[in-house]
């Protein structure tokens, strides 16, 4: 894993996303009785949102951790989609073996999963040389939105708009990133909050801070925050990255305001926020879904680079 290469992977997001053709990625799929999405980590985060959206669109769908001992039964009419960027997740391989049914692999490169799959949908995210699933996460979401479009006759995912939004954030990062890092990287860690329909963004953003710079970070859903996370605002230097757009924000902001917590809002103007970051096309909710994790990713990449440099300076014999 390399922080510099991770940053380079992020900077290549717009170009790579623009090259993704989601138009006929799922053209082979007919209306299934239900959909089962399997994956681990980032893949599961994307699956959670995709399954919820499919259910809201009238398609029975569930997202399961591939490591679960309680996988559902499937029928010949179930569309099973196993998601793994590396095509090598041992838990996902074990899950498809246990289910014992034909499945579609959603992967970024060939591997054991694609070898066992009846069909493969390619993420086309390119090689992530930094060792962190970032572009593949964005492409996973885009392709799962395309599956939703296929099964519900809904609009196609706004891939072009998301590429523009991503490019916009990158072009201005030197101006907003240092300030947001100062506000968000506190002594008690970082908390990322998002609406249920974009919960993947909160979970993935927190993971980026844990995986790269090894900083404490957790993700939470906006409404649920008032039931599970609010308590820490009373006892810690609480720093929140609020991915805006939930109707449950007022009660959250009441608590953070009374307790002097730091709140950085992204994607909308939020009354009471310490700082706000907007980006191109953020009025389109699916653009937010496909774009907003870049904020946490860029903060994580630079914190990782700076942390690695600090460790090198502390090592005996290292030149200053």
């Amino acid at each position: 894993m390399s922080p510099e290469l991770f940053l380079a992977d992020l900077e290549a997001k717009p170009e790579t996303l623009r090259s993704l053709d989601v138009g006929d990625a799922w053209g082979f799929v007919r209306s299934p009785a239900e959909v089962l999405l399997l994956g681990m980590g980032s893949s599961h985060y994307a699956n959670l949102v995709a399954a919820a959206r499919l259910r809201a669109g009238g398609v029975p769908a569930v997202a399961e951790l591939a490591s679960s001992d309680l996988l559902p039964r499937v029928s010949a009419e179930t569309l099973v989609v196993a998601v793994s960027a590396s095509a090598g997740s041992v838990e996902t391989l074990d899950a498809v073996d246990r289910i014992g049914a034909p499945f579609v692999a959603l992967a970024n490169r060939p591997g054991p999963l694609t070898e066992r799959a009846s069909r493969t949908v390619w993420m086309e995210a390119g090689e992530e040389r930094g060792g962190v699933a970032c572009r593949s996460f964005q492409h996973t979401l885009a392709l799962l939105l395309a599956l939703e479009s296929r099964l519900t006759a809904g609009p196609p995912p706004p891939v072009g708009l998301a590429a523009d939004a991503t490019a916009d954030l990158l072009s201005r990062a030197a101006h907003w990133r240092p300030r947001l890092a100062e506000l968000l990287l506190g002594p008690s860690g970082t908390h990322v909050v998002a609406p249920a329909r974009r919960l993947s963004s909160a979970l993935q953003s927190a993971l980026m801070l844990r995986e790269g710079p090894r900083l404490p970070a957790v993700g939470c859903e906006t409404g649920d925050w008032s039931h599970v996370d609010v308590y820490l605002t009373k006892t810690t230097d609480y720093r929140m990255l609020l991915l805006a757009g939930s109707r449950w924000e007022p009660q959250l902001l009441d608590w953070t305001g009374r307790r002097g917590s730091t709140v950085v809002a992204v994607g909308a103007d939020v009354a009471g926020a310490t700082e706000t970051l907007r980006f191109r096309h953020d009025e389109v909710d699916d653009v937010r879904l496909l774009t907003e994790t870049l904020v946490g990713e860029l903060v994580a990449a630079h914190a990782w680079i700076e942390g690695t440099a600090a460790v090198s300076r502390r090592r005996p014999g290292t030149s200053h």
Side-chain angles (χ1 to χ4, degrees), residues 39-40 65-68 71 88-98:
M40 299 295 296
L65 277 169
S67 58
S68 174
L71 294 176
S89 166
V90 293
E91 299 89 353
T92 306
L93 290 167
D94 178 73
V96 295
D97 284 346
R98 283 185 285 139

Side-chain angles (χ1 to χ4, degrees), residues 137-207:
F137 175 75
Q138 187 180 40
H139 287 219
T140 296
L141 280 170
L143 286 161
L144 290 176
L145 292 184
L147 175 62
E148 175 194 345
S149 175
R150 172 75 178 176
L151 296 181
T152 65
V159 172
L161 296 182
D164 291 344
T166 302
D168 175 52
L169 279 172
L170 284 165
S171 70
R172 296 184 290 115
H175 299 285
W176 61 258
R177 186 208 44 86
R179 173 60 175 162
L180 264 60
E182 177 186 355
L183 292 171
L184 290 171
L185 303 180
S188 301
T190 306
H191 304 261
V192 192
V193 179
R197 65 182 182 275
R198 304 199 320 270
L199 180 58
S200 57
S201 296
L203 299 175
Q204 176 72 359
S205 298
L207 174 60

Side-chain angles (χ1 to χ4, degrees), residues 36-39 47 80-84 92-93 96 103-107 113:
L36 170 61
L37 303 174
L38 299 168
N47 288 349
V80 179
V81 181
V83 185
S84 172
T92 306
L93 290 167
V96 295
F103 69 92
V104 177
L106 178 53
L113 191 68

